[in-house]
Amino acid sequence: MDVSISGVRAASYYALLRYRRVWRGTVVISVANPALFLTGLGFGLGKLVDHRHSHYLAGASYIAFLAPGLLAAAMMQTAYIESAGPVHNAARSGGAYRVATATPVTPAEVFLAQLSFVAFRVATSATAFALVAWAFRAVPIAGVLPLILAATLTGLAFGAPIAAWAVTMEHPATINAGFRFVIMPMYMFCGTFFAVSQLPGWLQAIVRVTPLYHGVTLCRAASTGHAGPLATIAHLGYLAALVGIGALAGTRSFRRVLTA
């Protein structure tokens, strides 16, 4: 693979320059959004759910059930936002990727720089979210670091394949459709707000093969510390495989598109 550290560093400069203009807004969103969701759903709706003593929560409070799932779903959205539209725009004629690859920077280095930036965005957002959840007593202090790591892996499991796909897209409407018809249904039905076991059997089978289901389950296990080793290995392996497949596909699609 035609990759060097200096090339990846040079390609990363563009993403960091772009982020420097908007970082204040993303910090506010990373803190304000979880605080609002946990207040409204965790303490508002959560009181009603806890009052009914739902057996689907396995003895946990609703806010403790909600917070890890909400974090995984938020990192999926962050990865999509950073990997879809920006990659599509930068890969078009006259875009930043075209400019970068006119220099000694290779398409593979551009892709790895993009993936590194997504990892940075997901990790920092996950840290802010997890600390807010801990402040709301939704996550124990011992679960904060494992939760951040699990959420970061979840974000990368989306970010790598999405970037590999977005660089090939010709029309921005496709990017919007992907968010509306793929990301949002997963957000709603993959265990973020309620246990997947409450769904009809046929829908459970579909949900259990989605990346977000594995991310939500892994984050929930990391938060509580109650995870079977085999199940944890399965979730980790699934998400890590998506990162690897996305990375391989990304280096190829970036090279094909940016050298055309």
Side-chain angles (χ1 to χ4, degrees), residues 37-93:
F37 269 102
L38 293 176
T39 299
L41 294 176
F43 290 120
L45 178 63
K47 288 185 177 180
L48 299 176
V49 176
D50 293 339
H51 181 70
R52 297 292 297 273
H53 302 289
S54 174
H55 69 276
Y56 290 107
L57 303 185
S61 66
Y62 184 66
I63 192 171
F65 175 87
L66 173 68
L70 198 59
L71 173 55
M75 295 309 101
M76 172 188 68
Q77 287 186 312
T78 298
Y80 192 90
I81 290 169
E82 296 294 351
S83 301
V87 169
H88 167 77
N89 293 332
R92 303 285 64 80
S93 178

Side-chain angles (χ1 to χ4, degrees), residues 20 29 38 41 61 75 109 113 134 137 139 201 221 232 250 255-256:
R20 189 173 67 178
I29 291 172
L38 293 176
L41 294 176
S61 66
M75 295 309 101
E109 290 167 346
W134 169 74
R137 299 183 179 180
V139 176
T232 300
R255 184 182 299 113
R256 183 177 69 254

Side-chain angles (χ1 to χ4, degrees), residues 71-72 75-76 79 115 118-120 122-123 126 145-161 211-212 214-216 218-219 222 232-244:
L71 173 55
M75 295 309 101
M76 172 188 68
L115 194 58
V118 172
F120 164 75
V122 169
L145 181 57
L147 181 58
I148 293 170
L149 295 176
T152 301
L153 178 61
T154 300
L156 285 174
F158 282 93
L212 185 58
H214 290 272
V216 167
L218 183 63
C219 286
T232 300
I233 291 172
H235 297 312
L236 286 171
Y238 182 101
L239 295 172
L242 278 182
V243 177

